[in-house]
Amino acid sequence: MATNLLVQFLAWFTSNGGFLHPHLQYRDKGIFADKGPIPSGELLVSIPINLHFNSCNPQLDDFFTCELSLAESYLKHRADPNHFFYPFFALMPEADVCVSPLCGIHDFSKISLGFASYIDIERMNIPSELLVAMSVIRSYQFQYGLLPGVSFFNHDAEKGNVLSKLSNMDDPNFDAGVGTIARVDYAQGDEVYLNYHPTNEIFHGSAQMYYLYGFMPHSAKFDTCVDMSSVRHADHDYQQKLKCIQTLALQSGTSAENLLAEISLAEQHGDGAWAEGGNLALAQILQSLREL
């Protein structure tokens, strides 16, 4: 990230009411407490309502419609140096850079054939000219829209806190924007994190994280059976995943042909639990066909 663009962004951000903890510094594609320690409970970042880039009201409008509108607006204005949000847009990916699986080539070392098919269906619902912009929107947005300042933080569900609405002590009805406080004590030099999950109690599984943000979380502790059937994560429990694959394959009515294709991919990419669970389901399907 160019230093002059970052300096321009910080000047714009703070002059318009944004706050970034004075001990924070951007480097190595993350935010670090390079200028001093930060104890838990201290405000890390706050973004007033005037710095929320959102083209509709997600509380009133259909969420997908909001996303499309946001992608159209972002694509239209991202290169306009006179636009209010240009200092923020200048730090975003280039207009032709896909940042999520939504517009990229499927990586079957990470995902199953079934999950790839789900992504393909999602692609069909989005105009082709908006696919790359939509990948940026889905990767960088929070429930409040695109938020300058928070996109610098990497994700950690254990050390990071979620974004939440800020209150105004003088006027509780006034929308003071959103922000987050330090969830843990950070020593000088530590990387400082944000929690990308919707709340500290509601979690995205690995499949949703990969689909939205283009990366697999370090831990798969929040994964459901659907996540285990969708992505290949080294943290998955072998026996649990095996049972999930077998059960879901039978419940979903997957054809023997599709199962064979999934099993072949799983074997190619060392996903033993998917392959074994798939083979168990396949045996039951073939047995049922013989009994007809």
Side-chain angles (χ1 to χ4, degrees):
M1 186 181 295
T3 302
N4 61 325
L5 291 178
L6 186 59
V7 170
Q8 291 171 17
F9 165 80
L10 289 173
W12 168 82
F13 182 69
T14 55
S15 67
N16 284 286
F19 170 81
L20 197 65
H21 195 288
H23 287 177
L24 294 175
Q25 182 167 304
Y26 179 85
R27 64 173 170 85
D28 302 328
K29 297 183 179 180
I31 287 283
F32 293 80
D34 280 350
K35 299 178 181 179
I38 302 174
S40 63
E42 285 203 0
L43 184 65
L44 295 175
V45 61
S46 67
I47 308 97
I49 190 70
N50 60 297
L51 290 180
H52 296 196
F53 181 67
N54 207 340
S55 54
C56 59
N57 186 341
Q59 305 301 319
L60 301 176
D61 301 317
D62 173 74
F63 190 70
F64 180 67
T65 302
C66 275
E67 287 185 312
L68 280 179
S69 177
L70 200 58
E72 289 174 342
S73 184
Y74 171 73
L75 190 61
K76 178 180 179 181
H77 299 297
R78 69 168 308 281
D80 179 3
N82 297 313
H83 194 272
F84 175 72
F85 281 95
Y86 181 74
F88 172 44
F89 294 159
L91 298 179
M92 300 287 276
E94 294 294 331
D96 59 347
V97 175
C98 178
V99 296
S100 81
L102 186 64
C103 47
I105 298 172
H106 294 313
D107 183 350
F108 290 107
S109 69
K110 295 180 178 179
I111 66 173
S112 68
L113 192 61
F115 191 39
S117 297
Y118 166 80
I119 295 172
D120 287 340
I121 292 171
E122 285 288 291
R123 289 176 178 176
M124 292 170 61
N125 294 324
I126 301 168
S128 58
E129 67 273 14
L130 291 180
L131 269 176
V132 173
M134 184 68 97
S135 79
V136 173
I137 298 303
R138 288 190 171 171
S139 182
Y140 283 83
Q141 77 174 343
F142 290 82
Q143 60 265 46
Y144 311 102
L146 292 185
L147 304 176
V150 300
S151 57
F152 300 142
F153 291 83
N154 288 318
H155 165 78
D156 191 301
E158 305 290 336
K159 297 178 181 178
N161 223 334
V162 297
L163 285 171
S164 57
K165 287 214 168 198
L166 300 174
S167 61
N168 186 303
M169 300 301 290
D170 297 323
D171 182 3
N173 295 317
F174 177 75
D175 192 340
V178 298
T180 190
I181 61 173
R183 191 173 189 176
V184 298
D185 293 331
Y186 291 104
Q188 185 168 357
D190 284 350
E191 182 169 7
V192 179
Y193 296 96
L194 190 69
N195 185 347
Y196 289 3
H197 296 304
T199 74
N200 283 326
E201 291 77 38
I202 300 175
F203 310 103
H204 291 317
S206 295
Q208 185 79 339
M209 293 292 284
Y210 180 73
Y211 173 67
L212 290 176
Y213 306 115
F215 68 85
M216 212 78 75
H218 298 303
S219 169
K221 65 184 293 185
F222 305 119
D223 282 10
T224 64
C225 274
V226 172
D227 291 293
M228 291 184 183
S229 72
S230 301
V231 300
R232 314 189 199 286
H233 199 300
D235 207 24
H236 286 155
D237 178 82
Y238 188 97
Q239 290 301 321
Q240 184 183 5
K241 179 167 183 171
L242 184 157
K243 292 177 182 177
C244 283
I245 299 303
Q246 183 181 8
T247 301
L248 288 177
L250 293 172
Q251 288 178 345
S252 64
T254 303
S255 68
E257 183 180 9
N258 285 343
L259 257 183
L260 281 169
E262 287 280 24
I263 292 166
S264 176
L265 276 175
E267 290 173 341
Q268 288 176 41
H269 297 290
D271 191 348
W274 217 121
E276 187 174 350
N279 273 312
L280 289 172
L282 181 62
Q284 288 180 262
I285 291 171
L286 294 177
Q287 179 63 32
S288 297
L289 292 174
R290 283 192 291 267
E291 294 172 356
L292 292 177

